[in-house]
Amino acid sequence: MDIPVSAWASELLDDEQTARDVRDGIGQALVDMQANARASQQEADVSSTQVHGITRYRGAFERVSEQLADLPGAQLVKPNGFQFDLVRIGNGLLYPFCFSKKDANVRTARIQNVWSVIRELFAFAPPSEQADLFGEYAFDPSAVALRPRLAALPEGTRLVLVPFACNAAGLLKPYWGVAALADESGTLEWNIDPEPLPLPDAPTSKLTIPQQLAGHPGFDEGEQPLVALAPRPDAERKLDIPPVSEVASIEPLTRENDEK
């Protein structure tokens, strides 16, 4: 079933078709991320799900940037102090993150660690409308000092959050939307309600190289050829006759055009 693209996404990402391509690309990237993370966990054959968590964390950024990098207008941006590329397309700067390991309400999603890069990213988010008892805001986007790579982004860039719930058993609920950072504890204030992302039925197929059959050696595993060696006669050494490495060609006694 074709799910229509929301007006905010079409406007922020330039047009409806681009927004659809980005939305579908994110869904494919997250399915691929989960498939890789589960495969790594199974290959590790350990009781802890830490392997899944590490692969899922890295894969969320790497698969999204890989999936969207070739779209028209896509730009890869690596914030200072961050080891992964983020994707900017249209005026949207995409930030995927896992908000829960269980089936939870996305409106309760929080940023677990509000560190320097997170503060810079939320400088591209709308300001919070929730003031404290003294009328002050815990986080003010306009007061954030941007380092060069994010400071170079065009005016009008807007942070688009891609929160998803995920554990070793499955990818649960992926969304996207726009939110303000309400405080330093990571509370989000959604300005555009998080919308579910449609997901493909299967991960991207990968090219696999079949293993060699047992008993069939590779091209570099065969026996080395034997080279016949013969010592030079003492007479040749005494007369300083240069060694002959190749057999001299034999001149034919007659040629094809010789008269018979």
Side-chain angles (χ1 to χ4, degrees):
M1 186 178 83
D2 184 26
I3 301 176
V5 178
S6 298
W8 70 266
S10 298
E11 181 179 354
L12 192 58
L13 302 175
D14 280 347
D15 55 59
E16 181 179 353
Q17 185 57 52
T18 301
R20 185 182 302 276
D21 292 340
V22 172
R23 184 193 65 180
D24 295 346
I26 294 173
Q28 184 67 67
L30 294 180
V31 168
D32 293 346
M33 169 209 73
Q34 174 66 356
N36 293 342
R38 292 190 67 179
S40 298
Q41 182 67 44
Q42 293 171 359
E43 184 68 21
D45 194 21
V46 294
S47 57
S48 170
T49 59
Q50 185 177 20
V51 175
H52 175 276
I54 294 173
T55 310
R56 183 264 306 155
Y57 173 73
R58 298 187 65 90
F61 300 106
E62 293 178 358
R63 297 291 78 75
V64 168
S65 61
E66 181 182 75
Q67 190 71 226
L68 303 180
D70 293 334
L71 290 181
Q75 174 189 3
L76 297 183
V77 180
K78 181 178 288 185
N80 293 89
F82 199 53
Q83 59 180 318
F84 304 108
D85 288 321
L86 302 181
V87 180
R88 181 184 183 274
I89 189 163
N91 284 326
L93 180 62
L94 305 172
Y95 181 72
F97 69 99
C98 181
F99 75 90
S100 178
K101 293 183 180 180
K102 58 184 180 180
D103 190 355
N105 187 343
V106 69
R107 295 191 66 85
T108 65
R110 304 170 73 93
I111 302 294
Q112 295 183 0
N113 182 15
V114 183
W115 59 301
S116 58
V117 172
I118 295 298
R119 292 188 183 92
E120 290 184 63
L121 291 177
F122 275 92
F124 298 96
S128 172
E129 297 179 356
Q130 297 180 4
D132 59 21
L133 296 176
F134 302 97
E136 298 178 351
Y137 297 96
F139 180 81
D140 182 5
S142 63
V144 177
L146 296 177
R147 285 174 287 185
R149 292 175 188 170
L150 291 182
L153 294 181
E155 185 177 356
T157 298
R158 179 67 78 199
L159 182 66
V160 177
L161 299 179
V162 184
F164 58 90
C166 182
N167 57 39
L171 176 63
L172 302 174
K173 290 184 175 180
Y175 298 85
W176 68 347
V178 175
L181 185 63
D183 53 46
E184 293 287 343
S185 65
T187 303
L188 296 176
E189 180 183 319
W190 292 96
N191 300 81
I192 295 176
D193 286 337
E195 299 178 2
L197 289 171
L199 297 176
D201 295 330
T204 303
S205 58
K206 295 183 177 181
L207 176 64
T208 57
I209 301 176
Q211 295 182 349
Q212 290 186 348
L213 297 176
H216 293 268
F219 74 94
D220 59 343
E221 297 176 350
E223 296 182 0
Q224 295 291 333
L226 297 177
V227 179
L229 301 176
R232 295 182 63 202
D234 292 338
E236 290 185 2
R237 293 197 189 94
K238 292 178 181 180
L239 296 176
D240 291 330
I241 298 176
V244 178
S245 58
E246 296 182 2
V247 178
S249 59
I250 301 175
E251 289 290 334
L253 298 179
T254 60
R255 302 179 183 279
E256 290 183 1
N257 57 354
D258 288 347
E259 295 180 359
K260 293 183 180 179

